[in-house]
Every structure is written in structure tokens, then in C-alpha cells.
Amino acid sequence: MPFSPKRIAVFGASGAIGSAFINDCLDRYHTATVFCFARSLERIPAHERVESRTFSLEDPEGLNASADAIKAAGGLDLIFVATGQLHSTTTKPEKTIRALTYAGMEETYCTNTILPAMIMKYFLPLLPKHKRAVFAAISARVGSISDNYLGGWYSYRASKAALNMLIRCAAIEMQRTHQSSVIIGMHPGTVDSSLSKPFQRGIQESQLMQPKQSAAMLLDVISKVDQSQTGKCLAYDGTEIAP
Ligand SMILES: NC(=O)c1ccc[n+]([C@@H]2O[C@H](COP(=O)([O-])OP(=O)(O)OC[C@H]3O[C@@H](n4cnc5c(N)ncnc54)[C@H](OP(=O)(O)O)[C@@H]3O)[C@@H](O)[C@H]2O)c1
């Protein structure tokens, strides 16, 4: 039977891929409710089947409270984490080990590794025990250790590699109690967004995906994943990214 989630949570709802994913969910799943989480709700579209909530890494109790409220109202069958950062006003990807700073590494790890871990902690228990459900967090191909031939981007690469390990651990743990749940990392392709904007020089137009296209391909992959793929990192075309 095709996967047709009824209760979906999207974290990073204000982002390019996150917001495109929400719109695709609303188009495909006509009875689904989408719980949208973002730091600021300014850019979240109003829709009768969208429930928006703010969240923050600095407020794990707020995340816990939101999880409790959604659990009491029926839980979730799809969780999509589209948060992440490559650069910010205070940090940029390091080309050399000499550029590493404690503050920059901490910020990148907090966003790319610790935040998804906290979302897993509070929201994985909302998945049903005996019904198909998916948790997918956007990682990145550059988080693959075996595929790293270029080096650089130390903190970003390492934070995504660590995210992949967390996903693997959670997949193993969830298999003990939630045999129908699939936990995966995903690579969205090179996507036109504020995250990739400063690094798009040299990328051919044909290689740069629009968020809508990437989100649709990610949702296609999610709708087909099975138990044999839990714990893995899958690209937008369904292929596995080597650890
Ligand atoms: N674009 C690409 O080419 C590409 C390639 C590989 C992987 N990815 C991954 O895809 C994911 C989505 O990226 P995107 O391209 O859609 O970028 P984006 O448009 O910049 O979206 C990033 C999202 O993450 C949120 N975010 C960042 N830091 C946060 C924090 N500390 N706490 C809470 N939310 C935070 C942003 O919220 P605000 O709106 O509040 O800033 C925004 O919703 C990221 O994990 C990225 O690493 C992207």
C-alpha cells in the first residue's frame, strides 16, 4: 500500500527545501495535517491544514512540550528535518584546519547535529509502533567519510557525518520497538537556497536544483523507503550515500 501520511511534522519550515516540502505534502496528501516548526513564523504560509509552532535549540523544554501536545492529539507518521547551516553571519566553511575556531565549530555542530538529535529524542516516540512511519533528516553527501576526496568544509562535513551516526544509532534502537518505522538521512542534491548561494559559482545551471524539484524527489524517496533502508543516508534519486 502506498505511504500516505496523515500527520506530518516539518522542522526548518522557513527554509527553501523545508517550505517546498510542506507545499508538496499539502498537494499530495489531501487529508494530512502538517505541523510546521521554525525559529520565526513570518514565512510560514497560512493554510487550513497547517499548524505552525516556533522552536529553538536553546529551548529543549519547548520542543518537549510541543511533542507532548502533538502526541496527545494523535502522534505523527512522518517527521522531516530540514534545518541546517553551512555559513552564518559569524561563521563560514573552513578551507583549512588553520581556519577552525571553537565558536564556529560549536555553532555548526549545534545546528547540524545537536538540534536534529533533540528532535529525535522528543519526536521519535510519537511514531506509531505497528504502522508504517518515516523519520527523515536532511544530511549531505559531503558528510560521507569515504566519499571525501576534496577535504575542506571541516565543521559542516563533520557535523553531517555525526548526524549520520545519530541516525544509524536511532534506527537500530527504534527497530527494537517500532519495527515499521524507517529512520533515514537524506541528501537533497545541490539546491538553490540561501545556504548554497555563496557557493554556487562554478556549478552548472543544469546541476542546480530548485527547492521544489528537490523536495518532490525527496518525498518520492520517502514514500518508497522500506525497512531494509533504515539507518542509511539516501540521495534525492534514491541511491545510497556511502557512510
Ligand atoms: N542547498 C543545498 O545545496 C544543500 C545541499 C546538501 C545538503 N543541504 C541541507 O539541506 C538542509 C536545508 O537547507 P536549505 O538549502 O533549504 O537551506 P535554507 O533555505 O538556508 O534552510 C535552512 C533552514 O534551517 C533553519 N535553521 C538554521 N539554523 C537553525 C537553528 N540554529 N535553529 C533552528 N533552525 C535553524 C533555517 O531557519 P531560519 O529561516 O530561521 O534561518 C531554515 O529553516 C540543510 O540541512 C542543509 O545542510 C542543502
Side-chain angles (χ1 to χ4, degrees):
M1 223 172 60
F3 183 46
S4 183
K6 298 271 183 292
R7 294 172 64 82
I8 301 165
V10 178
F11 293 84
S14 56
I17 300 172
S19 58
F21 190 88
I22 291 163
N23 288 330
D24 206 350
C25 285
L26 291 167
D27 283 350
R28 284 193 207 198
Y29 309 122
H30 293 144
T31 58
T33 300
V34 186
F35 299 91
C36 297
F37 287 83
R39 286 194 282 201
S40 150
L41 300 184
E42 272 167 34
R43 277 174 285 156
I44 312 300
H47 189 285
E48 57 186 4
R49 288 186 285 118
V50 163
E51 283 191 28
S52 301
R53 289 164 183 264
T54 54
F55 79 116
S56 151
L57 180 58
E58 289 79 36
D59 180 23
E61 280 316 309
L63 262 186
N64 193 8
S66 289
D68 281 349
I70 295 173
K71 185 175 187 177
L76 293 168
D77 44 16
L78 171 59
I79 303 169
F80 186 70
V81 182
T83 51
Q85 79 163 62
L86 173 58
H87 58 90
S88 73
T89 49
T90 49
T91 137
K92 57 183 182 182
E94 312 91 350
K95 288 186 183 151
T96 154
I97 204 157
R98 295 186 301 281
L100 293 181
T101 63
Y102 184 94
M105 292 192 79
E106 183 180 48
E107 186 180 326
T108 306
Y109 269 76
C110 279
T111 303
N112 292 347
T113 314
I114 298 176
L115 178 59
M118 290 298 114
I119 295 169
M120 283 189 223
K121 170 178 170 165
Y122 293 118
F123 285 85
L124 281 178
L126 272 62
L127 299 182
K129 283 206 166 149
H130 304 292
K131 236 179 71 197
R132 187 161 152 65
V134 177
F135 175 98
I138 306 189
S139 179
R141 187 182 295 281
V142 297
S144 164
I145 292 174
S146 59
D147 191 54
N148 181 3
Y149 297 102
L150 289 175
W153 291 18
Y154 282 79
S155 300
Y156 185 72
R157 283 184 186 272
S159 65
K160 293 291 193 180
L163 171 62
N164 293 344
M165 180 58 89
L166 289 166
I167 286 165
R168 178 90 178 170
C169 287
I172 291 168
E173 185 174 340
M174 287 289 283
Q175 267 177 329
R176 298 181 192 130
T177 52
H178 293 67
Q179 276 94 9
S180 305
S181 291
V182 176
I183 319 295
I184 50 171
M186 301 197 88
H187 170 63
T190 303
V191 181
D192 189 12
S193 71
S194 55
L195 180 142
S196 66
K197 199 64 91 193
F199 309 96
Q200 288 178 7
R201 211 172 342 128
I203 298 171
Q204 286 175 4
E205 211 175 302
S206 59
Q207 290 175 319
L208 189 65
M209 279 203 273
Q210 289 310 307
K212 191 175 172 183
Q213 182 192 3
S214 169
M217 292 183 83
L218 294 173
L219 195 48
D220 284 346
V221 174
I222 286 171
S223 66
K224 292 187 196 119
V225 278
D226 63 42
Q227 267 304 318
S228 69
Q229 293 167 304
T230 196
K232 295 185 173 172
C233 183
L234 304 177
Y236 58 94
D237 59 1
T239 55
E240 184 183 343
I241 308 274

